[in-house]
Amino acid sequence: MAFDRNPFADGDDEVNPFADQSARGNGSANSGFTGGAFYMPNPGRVPPASNSRLSPLPPERADYDRGATIDIPLDNVKDLSRKEKDLQAKEAELKRKDQELKRREEAISRAGIVIDDKNWPPFFPLIHHDIAKDIPVHLQRLQYVAFTTYLGLVVCLVWNVIAVTAAWLKGEGVKIWLLAIIYLVSGVPGAYVLWYRPLYNAMRSDSAFKFGLFFLLYAIHIGFCILAAVAPPIIFEGESLTGILSALGLLTSHVMVGVFYLIGFGMFCLETLLSIWVIQQVYLYFRGSGKAAEMKKQAARQTMMAAL
């Protein structure tokens, strides 16, 4: 069976892939096809580059001396040794101070002295006050109420200064204002030191002596609140306290100042009632826990020792 020849072949010559490339190159060169700008008449042969072999780099001379020595100044060595000695001396001093501090802490703990961190008020710590941590759970509610009476006294004295200042501006005299400032400045720290701190320590350590001190001084606090709520002119100078008598006297001349005094009177009445409830509850706990009998025995023992 006969096959047709390739219609795309160039001319009558058949292309043999195993034929000599030079012969094919000559045939191609004789053809009239140019192939454009990128046409290569003999793509099988690439002319060799003239500088295809790189020349080696010239050897470099090592320009250093193996036997050279490095000079280290003796001043630097002396400085290093002196700094090392200073560091050792400081380390020994720190160790000595640490041992001394541990010795003092052990002595304080053996003596039963508790050092508390100042944490109240939070914005400017002045005292240690942590009822949830220091006070037993069954006494925390009572301690919180007692703390409320302390804060209530602070509020009453601050309002007393405001009301007395208003009365002073209305022509009642500067003397009552100075007395109101004295009540505030002495009453706030005095109440904390005299009766609130003893109650806090008594609840914390369950001490009969501290409970007795609290009862005595807290009774004085209640008496002051009653006198402040009444404000008799024979004891206090004029209207230096926002009591009921001062309020009634000012309502006739200065109504607004009289209203301020009536508000102060109500605050002192509330403080008195709450303080009476606190001392009652503390006394019930004191009797129920047996501290009253213990305090009586301690007082009798001290009386006997004094007689002997």
Side-chain angles (χ1 to χ4, degrees), residues 27-301:
S28 300
N30 296 328
S31 64
F33 180 71
T34 58
F38 299 99
Y39 174 73
M40 297 178 62
N42 193 4
R45 299 183 63 184
V46 178
S50 61
N51 53 350
S52 60
R53 187 175 181 181
L54 299 176
S55 60
L57 296 174
E60 295 183 359
R61 178 177 176 274
D63 205 5
Y64 59 87
D65 190 1
R66 293 180 180 270
T69 58
I70 300 174
D71 295 335
I72 300 177
L74 295 178
D75 294 338
N76 295 340
V77 177
K78 292 180 180 179
D79 292 342
L80 291 175
S81 61
R82 185 173 64 254
K83 290 180 179 179
E84 184 178 0
K85 290 180 180 179
D86 294 341
L87 290 175
Q88 291 176 355
K90 290 180 180 179
E91 184 179 0
E93 182 68 18
L94 289 175
K95 288 182 179 179
R96 187 185 64 80
K97 290 182 178 180
D98 190 23
Q99 293 176 357
E100 183 68 20
L101 182 60
K102 290 181 179 179
R103 195 180 304 113
R104 291 181 180 179
E105 290 178 352
E106 291 175 357
I108 290 173
S109 62
R110 286 195 300 267
I113 301 173
V114 180
I115 300 177
D116 296 323
D117 297 330
K118 298 178 180 180
N119 61 349
W120 195 88
F123 55 87
F124 188 71
L126 295 174
I127 60 174
H128 173 78
H129 190 265
D130 194 352
I131 296 177
K133 181 180 178 181
D134 298 335
I135 308 301
V137 178
H138 61 285
L139 296 175
Q140 289 182 5
R141 177 174 175 269
L142 182 56
Q143 187 65 43
Y144 276 119
V145 178
F147 185 59
T148 303
T149 61
Y150 173 71
L151 295 180
L153 178 64
V154 175
V155 173
C156 288
L157 294 177
V158 171
W159 182 260
N160 184 75
V161 171
I162 295 173
V164 173
T165 302
W168 170 40
L169 295 177
K170 292 296 182 178
E172 296 297 329
V174 70
K175 191 174 183 179
I176 60 173
W177 182 80
L178 293 175
L179 288 174
I181 294 295
I182 292 174
Y183 301 151
L184 176 64
V185 172
S186 61
V188 173
Y192 175 80
V193 174
L194 293 178
W195 60 264
Y196 182 75
R197 194 64 186 176
L199 177 62
Y200 190 91
N201 293 330
M203 295 287 194
R204 187 178 184 180
S205 60
D206 206 17
S207 172
F209 173 76
K210 293 177 181 177
F211 272 111
L213 184 63
F214 162 75
F215 288 131
L216 175 63
L217 298 174
Y218 202 66
I220 297 174
H221 158 72
I222 294 175
F224 171 77
C225 291
I226 294 173
L227 287 175
V230 178
I234 57 174
I235 298 177
F236 301 101
E237 179 66 26
E239 294 86 10
S240 60
L241 284 171
T242 56
I244 184 62
L245 297 180
S246 301
L248 293 176
L250 289 171
L251 281 174
T252 57
S253 57
H254 307 290
V255 179
M256 195 63 186
V257 178
V259 172
F260 276 30
Y261 271 65
L262 282 178
I263 295 174
F265 162 71
M267 294 171 66
F268 274 114
C269 288
L270 183 61
E271 174 71 14
T272 302
L273 295 175
L274 195 59
S275 300
I276 291 174
W277 184 87
V278 168
I279 196 171
Q280 181 186 5
Q281 295 299 316
V282 174
Y283 181 73
L284 291 176
Y285 168 75
F286 183 73
R287 288 291 300 271
S289 61
K291 294 299 177 183
E294 181 183 346
M295 190 172 182
K296 289 180 181 179
K297 291 179 181 179
Q298 186 177 359
R301 191 182 303 112

